[in-house]
Amino acid sequence: AIRLHLVQDRALFKGVLLWAVCGIWIAGGLSLILGVFFVVLVHASRYIEGQAQLDALTGLVNRRIFRERIDHREKCGGVMLLDLDEFKYVNDHYGHESGDILLKAVARRLQAAVREGDLVARVGGDEFAIVFESDDADMLVTRIRAAFGKPFNISDKLYLSVGCSLGVCVAGDGVSGSDLVRLADERMFIDKRRRRMLGFSRRSESTA
């Protein structure tokens, strides 16, 4: 009888031990799954937040990030706004795909032309903005004009010479972020009218 009880106790012990091991394994697996899910969720949220800050076509920061920087006056020596000449003509005559290629090429040239610490943003269809740190706006204007000095390669057989209208406002005491944008925008449209009067906004295209 005693031996029978010992056998039964050992069987019960083995059963309890097996259930304990299974429970630990299941709990560990569940913890691993939850851990992996949490890591994926964190990375996904960071990716979504990063994408929300960027213009999908050009990869530049968007209008929201541009406004945040000037509103907080973070590294803001001034604002430059620029608008492409005859962009509607490019879309109408060469197609929206060519227009997209042009916008991406402009974005690359602007990024290459600005100085370290400057922020380039796409704020509209064919409108871009630069928040610059230094108050040397004339130097920046010269660099941006030079960036538009060469034709843009749209395809193997199409090159477009496209200009732009610029408006600049240098930050000063008591000038809000909204004032910077408003004044730069007014000066950009003055430059656009001047360029049209002088014929600088006429498009030029060539084929290879």
Side-chain angles (χ1 to χ4, degrees):
I2 295 174
R3 186 174 181 180
L4 179 61
H5 282 298
L6 288 174
V7 171
Q8 290 175 341
D9 289 344
R10 286 176 183 173
L12 179 62
F13 175 74
K14 288 180 179 179
V16 172
L17 181 61
L18 179 61
W19 276 105
V21 170
C22 290
I24 293 172
W25 182 82
I26 292 172
L30 182 60
S31 297
L32 178 61
I33 292 172
L34 290 175
V36 171
F37 176 76
F38 177 75
V39 170
V40 171
L41 184 63
V42 169
H43 282 279
S45 63
R46 289 178 179 174
Y47 174 78
I48 293 172
E49 176 64 22
Q51 291 300 107
Q53 297 177 359
L54 300 178
D55 172 61
L57 178 65
T58 63
L60 299 175
V61 299
N62 56 26
R63 176 184 289 271
R64 179 170 71 87
I65 302 302
F66 163 69
R67 288 308 306 243
E68 285 180 1
R69 180 152 170 180
I70 61 172
D71 287 342
H72 297 149
R73 303 301 290 272
E74 178 186 354
K75 297 180 179 179
C76 181
V79 170
M80 172 185 289
L81 298 181
L82 63 96
D83 181 77
L84 302 186
D85 295 336
E86 302 289 351
F87 182 70
K88 185 176 183 303
Y89 175 88
V90 175
N91 273 337
D92 291 345
H93 287 75
Y94 298 107
H96 289 278
E97 183 178 355
S98 294
D100 289 347
I101 293 172
L102 175 60
L103 291 173
K104 289 188 282 189
V106 167
R108 289 193 296 270
R109 289 199 190 179
L110 291 177
Q111 287 181 303
V114 298
R115 295 155 295 197
E116 184 177 357
D118 294 345
L119 179 77
V120 183
R122 183 184 178 205
V123 295
D126 63 337
E127 297 178 4
F128 297 83
I130 299 172
V131 182
F132 52 92
E133 288 187 284
S134 171
D135 59 0
D136 188 2
D138 292 338
M139 177 63 73
L140 182 60
V141 169
T142 300
R143 293 169 66 95
I144 298 302
R145 291 291 188 203
F148 284 82
K150 297 185 298 182
F152 291 90
N153 183 198
I154 304 302
S155 67
D156 291 340
K157 296 183 178 181
L158 178 63
Y159 292 81
L160 293 177
S161 294
V162 177
C164 66
S165 302
L166 300 178
V168 180
C169 184
V170 177
D173 294 338
V175 179
S176 67
S178 296
D179 288 337
L180 283 173
V181 175
R182 178 179 57 80
L183 292 171
D185 191 57
E186 291 175 359
R187 292 166 185 173
M188 181 182 70
F189 279 98
I190 291 173
D191 186 48
K192 183 182 290 289
R193 288 196 297 268
R194 180 186 65 85
R195 288 171 58 77
R196 284 176 177 169
M197 290 175 60
L198 297 175
F200 288 147
S201 63
R202 293 172 185 167
R203 58 192 169 272
S204 174
E205 59 262 4
S206 61
T207 55

